[in-house]
């Protein structure tokens, strides 16, 4: 069912992966979604962003040590979201399967899709709140400030032409934007992922984006000066905390 107002009412948060590169970056924290960034666990930061995007419900997809992540959210989350948990038994495969695991819990589109390990500025969520993706397609929020990306080698690159994504991948050499890990989607993205999974026995989110891109149904939305940071490594964690501190100081 497509809602009349702009923006998503349901968010999907992918939190199923191993997160091995960040394990132990904070003493006593082995699971990435529970790792604190500037004093707040990543998963709680993400849920705050989901609320700012206008969502009323969230589906958290868990896998690796999923019961621990689920219990921590139930114990510590006190926000307004109605929280559902979906389990991805294939969490050692690619992240597209986590998106598919959430499908039974998503009743309407457009919906927000993001990652539990991304710190997202409020400006990005303001864009999501009012955005509608293309018909039978999806939108990826992208960052054109390539020279400001921390650890560009690790980033997922995107080539955009006339507002449409034409290619995506970590190893692209011809690119003009970076994937922020924030999507506004119709069910077409899940359909694309299911098709890839049937063909290959696995599916990454980028595989689904490529399939929609070939049909010119994958839009790009510029985040402008908005802040975001993927938190995959201890170095990324330290950088995210420095940026958050700088922004807090500038606002005070």
């Amino acid at each position: 069912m497509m809602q009349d107002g702009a923006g998503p009412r349901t968010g999907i948060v992918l939190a199923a992966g191993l997160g091995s590169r960040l394990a132990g970056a904070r003493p006593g924290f082995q699971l990435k979604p529970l790792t604190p960034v500037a004093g707040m666990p990543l998963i709680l930061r993400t849920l705050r962003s989901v609320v700012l995007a206008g969502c009323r419900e969230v589906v958290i997809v868990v896998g690796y040590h999923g019961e621990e992540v689920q219990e921590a959210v139930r114990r510590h989350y006190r926000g307004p979201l109605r929280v559902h948990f979906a389990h991805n038994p294939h969490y050692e495969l690619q992240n597209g399967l986590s998106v598919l695991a959430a499908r039974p819990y998503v009743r309407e589109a457009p919906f927000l899709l993001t990652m539990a390990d991304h710190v997202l500025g409020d400006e990005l969520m303001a864009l999501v709140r009012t955005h509608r993706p293309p018909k039978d397609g999806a939108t990826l929020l992208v960052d054109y400030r390539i020279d400001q990306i921390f650890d560009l080698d690790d980033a997922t690159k995107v080539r955009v032409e006339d507002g449409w994504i034409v290619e995506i991948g970590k190893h692209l050499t011809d690119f003009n934007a970076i994937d922020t890990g924030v999507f506004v989607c119709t069910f077409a993205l899940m359909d694309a992922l299911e098709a890839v999974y049937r063909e290959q026995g696995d599916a990454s989110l980028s595989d689904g984006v490529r399939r929609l891109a070939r049909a010119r149904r994958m839009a790009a939305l510029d985040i402008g000066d908005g802040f975001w940071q993927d938190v995959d490594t201890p170095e990324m964690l330290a950088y995210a905390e420095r940026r958050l501190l700088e922004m807090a100081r500038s606002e005070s």
Side-chain angles (χ1 to χ4, degrees):
M1 178 177 65
M2 190 73 74
Q3 62 187 17
D4 294 332
R9 292 296 176 266
T10 300
I12 299 175
V13 175
L14 305 188
L18 301 175
S20 55
R21 290 189 291 168
L22 196 64
R26 286 282 183 270
F29 294 92
Q30 294 297 314
L31 300 180
K32 183 194 282 190
L34 307 185
T35 300
V37 178
M40 181 183 294
L42 274 164
I43 187 67
L44 296 187
R45 283 190 173 276
T46 305
L47 294 180
R48 175 186 177 276
S49 294
V50 171
V51 172
L52 292 177
C55 296
R56 298 168 183 165
E57 299 187 81
V58 66
V59 183
I60 303 174
V61 184
V62 297
Y64 180 68
H65 284 267
E67 291 184 1
E68 292 179 48
V69 175
Q70 193 167 325
E71 176 59 28
V73 172
R74 284 177 169 157
R75 188 184 317 126
H76 297 293
Y77 180 65
R78 295 293 181 269
L81 289 168
R82 182 180 179 188
V83 180
H84 309 276
F85 294 94
H87 179 65
N88 173 14
H90 308 295
Y91 58 82
E92 293 184 352
L93 297 179
Q94 298 189 81
N95 61 356
L97 276 64
S98 285
V99 181
L100 294 179
R103 186 163 198 167
Y105 301 88
V106 181
R107 295 174 294 178
E108 62 181 8
F111 56 88
L112 165 67
L113 170 62
T114 192
M115 320 296 148
D117 60 356
H118 286 204
V119 177
L120 304 170
D122 295 355
E123 308 93 335
L124 274 68
M125 297 302 100
L127 291 173
V128 168
R129 191 180 187 102
T130 58
H131 182 75
R132 289 187 72 83
K135 179 179 171 56
D136 297 325
T139 300
L140 170 61
L141 274 63
V142 301
D143 191 345
Y144 288 98
R145 300 166 297 176
I146 294 170
D147 60 337
Q148 298 181 34
I149 300 299
F150 185 84
D151 197 350
L152 183 60
D153 288 342
D154 192 67
T156 298
K157 290 84 172 173
V158 181
R159 188 164 79 253
V160 181
E161 295 178 1
D162 299 323
W164 297 98
I165 292 173
V166 296
E167 189 53 275
I168 186 170
K170 278 188 178 291
H171 304 296
L172 280 187
T173 55
D174 180 12
F175 61 93
N176 57 359
I178 301 299
D179 172 356
T180 68
V182 180
F183 299 78
V184 185
C185 312
T186 71
F187 290 111
L189 180 61
M190 290 178 171
D191 293 340
L193 288 168
E194 286 180 346
V196 174
Y197 181 55
R198 287 194 301 269
E199 294 168 5
Q200 303 179 7
D202 200 354
S204 71
L205 191 45
S206 292
D207 289 331
V209 170
R210 288 189 199 98
R211 187 167 286 247
L212 289 183
R214 289 197 295 270
R216 204 173 179 81
R217 290 188 281 139
M218 192 71 220
L221 181 61
D222 183 2
I223 67 167
D225 294 329
F227 170 71
W228 71 283
Q229 178 59 48
D230 190 2
V231 182
D232 271 338
T233 66
E235 293 78 14
M236 290 178 178
L237 173 59
Y239 177 75
E241 290 188 321
R242 287 199 304 272
R243 288 294 310 278
L244 289 170
L245 180 60
E246 290 169 2
M247 289 189 293
R249 286 174 174 168
S250 67
E251 292 171 0
S252 62

